[in-house]
Amino acid sequence: MQTNFSVEESVSNLWNKLDGWLESIILKLPNIAMAVLVMFLFYFLARGIRKVLKRTVLRKISQVSIQEIIAKVVFVVIILIGFFIALGVLDLDKVLTSILAGAGVVGLAVGLALQGTLSNTFGGLILSFMPQLKINDFISADGVSGFVTEISLRNIILKKPDNNVVVIPNSKFIDGSFTNYSMNKRNRIFVNCGVGYESDLQMVEDLTVKVIADNFKQNDDEDVEFFFTEFGDSSINFMVRFWADCVNVKQEHAARHKAIKIIKKRFDERDINIPFPIRTLDFGKNNLQIAKE
């Protein structure tokens, strides 16, 4: 049986449906306004609670990265609560159920597609709660040294001594090793030098240990240590190591700089020679003749 298509009837049905939608929207306008108001209220509530937490409770946490992570989580949770309440105001409870049901499937697909990003995110969480790493620490990682300025859910940001910024992905940082110069306030400084073969080695040792101990205070469990290390080509080389206050590479360089200057000054006062490499040319076996024109 063939049914005749009527344009007028189709237009009428379409108009009736649009009219029904318009009527529903008009009837829902108070709910829409209330839902928007709820979202605005919860947004400002989330900002306020985050600010209060930072000024009170989170200030007791020493690591700034942990403070930021907790503040962001609290902010997102409050926004989500406001979103669910807004859906309830709009009588979209069934939609909410469908969203939650589909979230699992979507989350699985997104997780597979964004494995690297999620790895960085979990790495950021681990770094934020790692006691061996804090904001403003001076570290060396992946061949780069600098101050930690930010630990986010994606990367860690270092500011190098030359003021350039280096961004290291969290996953790469977690998988590698790093050196934290700021964990201990006291660090050991190494200075290498050499003296001439004619030198009194015992006097060199006693003088070096004394000059370092006089200029760098050593605590009860710390000592200035001196070791001759090798017979060099033109000198007998030694190493002296001592403790100093330093939490970054600059302070380490400054301590070594000071030690080298005072060692050189005392050696000059005692006429102790710090030789430089010397090459002796022996022309005895080959009679060198200079031809004159």
Side-chain angles (χ1 to χ4, degrees):
M1 183 176 180
Q2 188 175 3
T3 304
N4 294 327
F5 177 75
S6 174
V7 176
E8 293 180 359
E9 184 178 355
S10 299
V11 172
S12 178
N13 291 335
L14 177 60
W15 180 256
N16 290 334
K17 180 170 290 189
L18 291 175
D19 186 59
W21 286 354
L22 180 60
E23 183 178 356
S24 299
I25 291 174
I26 293 174
L27 292 175
K28 288 289 185 180
L29 280 178
N31 300 69
I32 295 173
M34 182 60 68
V36 172
L37 180 61
V38 167
M39 288 303 301
F40 270 107
L41 289 176
F42 271 85
Y43 172 75
F44 288 108
L45 178 64
R47 289 186 57 183
I49 292 178
R50 181 177 62 179
K51 187 177 296 185
V52 171
L53 282 175
K54 284 186 175 181
R55 292 179 178 177
T56 56
V57 179
L58 297 182
R59 290 184 62 181
K60 299 179 180 179
I61 302 176
S62 59
Q63 290 184 255
V64 179
S65 57
I66 298 179
Q67 298 179 15
E68 293 295 331
I69 291 294
I70 295 177
K72 290 178 181 178
V73 170
V74 171
F75 181 82
V76 172
V77 168
I78 295 175
I79 291 294
L80 287 176
I81 293 174
F83 176 71
F84 294 150
I85 294 176
L87 289 179
V89 172
L90 293 172
D91 295 329
L92 296 177
D93 298 336
K94 294 182 179 180
V95 175
L96 176 60
T97 304
S98 301
I99 291 175
L100 294 177
V105 179
V106 175
L108 178 61
V110 172
L112 293 175
L114 302 176
Q115 292 183 19
T117 302
L118 292 177
S119 177
N120 287 329
T121 301
F122 285 106
L125 291 174
I126 294 173
L127 292 175
S128 298
F129 289 89
M130 184 181 292
Q132 294 84 9
L133 184 66
K134 296 181 292 185
I135 301 296
N136 295 325
D137 281 357
F138 189 91
I139 69 170
S140 176
D142 197 29
V144 180
S145 298
F147 292 93
V148 179
T149 59
E150 181 181 343
I151 302 175
S152 67
L153 293 178
R154 178 171 175 78
N155 47 49
I156 178 171
I157 299 178
L158 303 181
K159 178 177 283 189
K160 298 169 58 179
D162 59 8
N163 207 38
N164 289 318
V165 174
V166 179
V167 180
I168 304 176
N170 290 332
S171 57
K172 188 175 182 180
F173 189 87
I174 286 290
D175 293 336
S177 60
F178 68 94
T179 302
N180 191 337
Y181 294 90
S182 302
M183 283 196 66
N184 300 312
K185 294 183 178 180
R186 301 278 292 176
N187 285 291
R188 182 171 280 173
I189 309 298
F190 293 76
V191 176
N192 296 295
C193 188
V195 293
Y197 276 87
E198 73 283 359
S199 303
D200 184 338
L201 298 186
Q202 188 60 52
M203 183 182 71
V204 170
E205 178 180 353
D206 295 341
L207 179 61
T208 304
V209 171
K210 184 178 186 305
V211 71
I212 293 296
D214 290 344
N215 288 272
F216 296 92
K217 181 182 178 182
Q218 305 296 294
N219 295 333
D220 295 336
D221 56 343
E222 301 171 349
D223 292 308
V224 177
E225 298 179 341
F226 183 98
F227 303 97
F228 286 107
T229 56
E230 63 176 349
F231 291 98
D233 293 335
S234 57
S235 64
I236 298 178
N237 299 325
F238 67 84
M239 173 187 67
V240 59
R241 57 186 189 181
F242 56 93
W243 296 88
D245 293 330
C246 56
V247 294
N248 55 55
V249 174
K250 179 181 178 181
Q251 293 179 346
E252 178 183 342
H253 290 332
R256 187 177 292 110
H257 167 82
K258 178 181 177 181
I260 290 174
K261 288 178 64 177
I262 58 178
I263 289 174
K264 175 66 167 58
K265 181 179 179 181
R266 290 298 181 87
F267 280 11
D268 289 344
E269 292 173 354
R270 296 293 186 91
D271 293 327
I272 298 175
N273 180 34
I274 301 177
F276 52 87
I278 299 175
R279 176 171 295 178
T280 303
L281 301 178
D282 187 358
F283 299 104
K285 294 182 179 180
N286 300 314
N287 294 325
L288 182 64
Q289 296 180 355
I290 301 177
K292 296 183 179 181
E293 296 182 358

